[in-house]
Amino acid sequence: MTAPLAEGADLKTVRGAYEQAYAEEPFVLLLPAGQQPQTQHVVGSNMCHLQVEVDEGARRVVATSAIDNLTKGTGGAAVQCMNLALGFDEGAGLSRAAVAP
């Protein structure tokens, strides 16, 4: 995903916003700077690996992510939502570990 970079914003600002937004999300991992998401690291899990960068030349925010569409897709979302609706632990029955790193 790309989006225009707000006036006065830089990578530190953007990264800080993402860190704050996803700090309490058990199934979203904001990767360390310079590390790109890879499908092999999320296969069979309910995880979303996320990276955010800034293209200064184009003045754009660039966000990339990797998910396993079967587990993190509708099936995993259904279990996660059911857990929340019924008062269970949000991650009950959902894996955070990939099948093969």
Side-chain angles (χ1 to χ4, degrees):
M1 181 275 316
T2 67
L5 183 63
E7 190 63 39
D10 59 9
L11 178 58
K12 183 177 179 180
T13 306
V14 171
R15 211 167 155 83
Y18 273 76
E19 287 170 352
Q20 183 177 359
Y22 293 107
E24 301 298 320
E25 295 300 326
F27 295 111
V28 179
L29 176 63
L30 181 59
L31 297 171
Q35 184 179 343
Q36 289 299 315
Q38 296 181 36
T39 306
Q40 67 183 357
H41 294 150
V42 296
V43 170
S45 77
N46 196 53
M47 292 298 296
C48 173
H49 285 193
L50 179 63
Q51 183 56 271
V52 63
E53 297 177 341
V54 168
D55 181 338
E56 291 288 350
R59 300 290 303 153
R60 307 284 294 178
V61 175
V62 180
T64 54
S65 66
I67 65 168
D68 178 331
N69 197 40
L70 293 176
T71 307
K72 183 62 179 171
T74 306
V79 172
Q80 192 172 351
C81 289
M82 178 196 69
N83 287 342
L84 290 169
L86 298 177
F88 299 137
D89 176 67
E90 182 177 356
L94 296 168
S95 176
R96 293 187 73 213
V99 174

